[in-house]
């Protein structure tokens, strides 16, 4: 179930790419397609190396740190749930893609690559930990997230707003 759901979320990436490419001039369309490809490929590396461990790593030694981020399983060391990793990666990539649409045709490619990597590796994971990890502070307060609306879309939309403002 997790794998088929993850593939459905990743299939939406093609739709995002086409929507973004149709909103810019012809010259920028190839750039948009490449940005969406980078969201998936570089995002997978960022999520593998850092994102999963910060989001769902085992509990930290200190309770204060555990409220904020996970503290292990970086590069999937000692991780055993690959289906859940893939499912969560699909949402991490989606969060980064939201930014791509807000800066379509207005941001240099290298700057976007750096932004996408940091969103997927370091900015998105703590928010995921807060809401979706059993030890996260929002989860402990009873926070419920419906289909990623509070994590994926709110974080992606806020980051997109900030990126569009600065571009």
């Amino acid at each position: 179930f997790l794998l088929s759901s993850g593939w459905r979320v990743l299939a939406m990436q093609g739709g995002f790419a086409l929507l973004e490419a149709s909103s810019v001039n012809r010259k920028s369309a190839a750039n948009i397609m490449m940005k969406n490809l980078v969201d998936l490929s570089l995002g997978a590396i960022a999520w593998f190396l850092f994102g999963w461990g910060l989001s769902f790593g085992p509990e930290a030694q200190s309770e204060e740190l555990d409220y904020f981020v996970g503290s292990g399983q970086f590069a999937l060391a000692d991780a055993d749930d690959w289906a859940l990793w893939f499912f969560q990666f699909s949402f991490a990539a989606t969060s980064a893609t939201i930014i791509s649409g807000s800066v379509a045709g207005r941001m240099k490619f290298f700057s976007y690559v750096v932004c996408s990597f940091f969103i997927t590796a370091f900015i998105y994971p703590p928010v995921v930990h807060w809401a979706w990890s059993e030890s996260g502070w929002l989860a402990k307060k009873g926070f419920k997230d419906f289909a990623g609306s509070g994590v994926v879309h709110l974080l992606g939309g806020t980051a997109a707003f900030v990126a569009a403002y600065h571009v």
Side-chain angles (χ1 to χ4, degrees):
F1 177 75
L2 288 176
L3 290 176
S4 65
S5 297
W7 280 114
R8 287 185 185 114
V9 173
L10 285 182
M12 293 188 308
Q13 296 283 347
F16 298 151
L18 292 174
L19 176 67
E20 292 170 27
S22 69
S23 67
V24 296
N25 61 28
R26 185 177 289 202
K27 184 179 84 173
S28 298
N31 183 291
I32 293 296
M33 295 297 183
M34 195 62 179
K35 284 179 181 176
N36 280 275
L37 186 61
V38 164
D39 277 336
L40 289 177
S41 55
L42 191 61
I45 294 169
W47 187 251
F48 171 78
L49 291 175
F50 305 107
W52 174 263
L54 291 172
S55 298
F56 298 103
E59 294 184 10
Q61 299 298 333
S62 78
E63 190 171 323
E64 292 83 20
L65 181 62
D66 195 37
Y67 275 157
F68 189 68
V69 293
S71 64
Q73 294 183 350
F74 296 104
L76 293 179
D78 300 324
D80 57 356
D81 197 347
W82 291 85
L84 183 60
W85 179 91
F86 178 75
F87 181 67
Q88 291 296 335
F89 157 68
S90 68
F91 286 111
T94 300
S95 187
T97 301
I98 294 170
I99 300 163
S100 174
S102 73
V103 296
R106 299 181 291 148
M107 189 174 197
K108 299 274 187 200
F109 182 74
F110 180 75
S111 300
Y112 179 76
V113 167
V114 171
C115 175
S116 179
F117 182 85
F118 277 97
I119 288 286
T120 307
F122 303 113
I123 297 171
Y124 177 76
V127 179
V128 169
H129 183 80
W130 300 343
W132 293 343
S133 175
E134 293 176 4
S135 58
W137 67 273
L138 283 174
K140 286 185 175 182
K141 292 187 180 290
F143 175 77
K144 302 292 183 209
D145 185 31
F146 180 72
S149 62
V151 176
V152 178
H153 296 99
L154 184 60
L155 178 105
T158 303
F161 174 76
V162 170
Y165 178 78
H166 286 288
V167 172

